[in-house]
Amino acid sequence: IYTRDGKEYVTPEQIDREVLREIDVHGGRINIVELPALLNIDLPHIERRINIILEQNPSLILYNGDLISSASHDWCT
């Protein structure tokens, strides 16, 4: 998947890791519309990965556009 500026590409798994890291960095809650600017990836790509992330992580919920963690995790490792 190419970044918004077209200079790099990332794997779907890397998007997953970066989304989870941003949730952690932002104290367990982040609005998904903030992610494209933070990750330099278009929102449709992020939204597709968020659906997969939510299936794999029952401690995460999507509520009113916010990804919220109900538990503390070390996803960045």
Side-chain angles (χ1 to χ4, degrees), residues 45-60:
H45 298 298
I46 295 170
E47 288 176 325
R48 278 193 293 275
R49 295 312 302 175
I50 285 173
N51 290 328
I52 294 167
I53 291 168
L54 289 170
E55 289 174 10
Q56 297 173 347
N57 296 285
S59 65
L60 290 176

Side-chain angles (χ1 to χ4, degrees), residues 12-52:
E13 293 79 16
Q14 181 162 349
I15 294 173
D16 296 356
R17 286 190 302 271
E18 291 186 21
V19 167
L20 294 170
R21 181 177 48 100
E22 290 299 331
I23 294 169
D24 191 46
V25 167
H26 288 87
R29 182 179 192 142
I30 190 165
N31 194 290
I32 62 170
V33 297
E34 295 177 37
L35 292 170
L38 294 168
L39 304 180
N40 194 27
I41 301 167
D42 288 328
L43 186 58
H45 298 298
I46 295 170
E47 288 176 325
R48 278 193 293 275
R49 295 312 302 175
I50 285 173
N51 290 328
I52 294 167

Side-chain angles (χ1 to χ4, degrees), residues 1-3 8-12 15 41-42 45 48-49:
I1 299 170
Y2 282 96
T3 57
E8 300 175 280
Y9 62 92
V10 295
T11 64
I15 294 173
I41 301 167
D42 288 328
H45 298 298
R48 278 193 293 275
R49 295 312 302 175

